[in-house]
């Protein structure tokens, strides 16, 4: 015979709790189960900020995405989401924790994207499945070399003395 009971963990502070089951019969006999420990975690991880890149920065080549993420219990995963300026999904990159600290990072190649403005968002999940989406920062990817035009003045192989104007 199985019995079940439901209760909302949202009424408790995040933390570790002991659960003990007591059962009694109609004759007044009491039985106590072993104690189990459970963790209640109703709070999303805290994504405090991007460490790198900086908002409104211009980037080319390979960059390191780095963010500070913490949770009262444990952070399970962090990823960086890249969308174009209209919000269309472009890329999701998983981050790795640096040591046992708060920093999570990923190497990211901007060369696979068209030049333009992009939104970067940090997403963090904890071990209880709570999701946090950070504030969005905008960055510009610029991998194209600038166009150069020919000189108007001075002309190639011309002879000059004094001062000249370069056009």
């Amino acid at each position: 015979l199985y019995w079940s009971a439901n209760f909302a963990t949202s009424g408790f502070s995040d933390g570790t709790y002991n659960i003990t089951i007591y059962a009694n019969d109609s004759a007044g006999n009491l039985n106590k189960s072993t104690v189990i420990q459970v963790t209640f975690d109703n709070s999303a991880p805290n994504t405090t900020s991007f460490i790198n890149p900086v908002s409104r920065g211009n980037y080319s080549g390979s960059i390191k995405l780095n963010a500070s993420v913490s949770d009262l219990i444990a952070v399970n995963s962090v990823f960086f989401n890249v969308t174009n300026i209209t919000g269309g999904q472009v890329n999701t990159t998983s981050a790795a924790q640096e040591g046992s600290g708060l920093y999570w990072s990923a190497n990211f190649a901007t060369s696979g994207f068209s030049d333009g403005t992009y939104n970067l968002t940090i997403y963090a999940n904890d071990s209880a499945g709570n999701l946090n989406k950070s504030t969005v920062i905008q960055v510009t990817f610029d991998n194209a070399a600038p166009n150069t035009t020919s000189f108007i003045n001075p002309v190639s192989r011309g002879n000059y003395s004094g001062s000249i104007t370069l056009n």
Side-chain angles (χ1 to χ4, degrees):
L1 189 57
Y2 294 97
W3 296 87
S4 65
N6 292 317
F7 65 94
T9 62
S10 59
F12 296 85
S13 298
D14 288 353
T16 302
Y17 293 88
N18 295 324
I19 295 180
T20 307
I21 300 171
Y22 293 93
N24 67 327
D25 60 19
S26 58
N29 298 311
L30 181 65
N31 185 11
K32 178 179 120 180
S33 71
T34 58
V35 176
I36 62 169
Q37 281 192 343
V38 295
T39 301
F40 296 160
D41 181 1
N42 294 297
S43 301
N46 183 21
T47 52
T48 55
S49 63
F50 273 96
I51 306 303
N52 189 58
V54 296
S55 186
R56 306 215 184 280
N58 293 315
Y59 298 93
S60 63
S62 182
I63 60 173
K64 184 174 187 176
L65 303 176
N66 190 294
S68 175
V69 180
S70 63
D71 188 67
L72 293 173
I73 307 301
V75 176
N76 188 46
S77 63
V78 174
F79 57 95
F80 298 99
N81 190 53
V82 181
T83 56
N84 59 25
I85 196 66
T86 62
Q89 178 74 29
V90 178
N91 177 276
T92 300
T93 300
S94 294
Q97 187 174 19
E98 294 184 5
S100 60
L102 303 174
Y103 299 109
W104 292 73
S105 64
N107 290 321
F108 184 78
T110 65
S111 58
F113 299 89
S114 301
D115 287 356
T117 303
Y118 292 86
N119 299 316
L120 297 180
T121 308
I122 307 165
Y123 286 92
N125 289 313
D126 65 17
S127 56
N130 299 310
L131 174 66
N132 186 348
K133 179 181 116 176
S134 77
T135 56
V136 176
I137 66 169
Q138 285 188 346
V139 295
T140 299
F141 297 157
D142 184 3
N143 290 294
N147 291 330
T148 57
T149 57
S150 60
F151 279 104
I152 297 170
N153 186 43
V155 294
S156 181
R157 298 182 193 191
N159 293 318
Y160 301 94
S161 65
S163 63
I164 61 170
T165 301
L166 301 175
N167 295 332

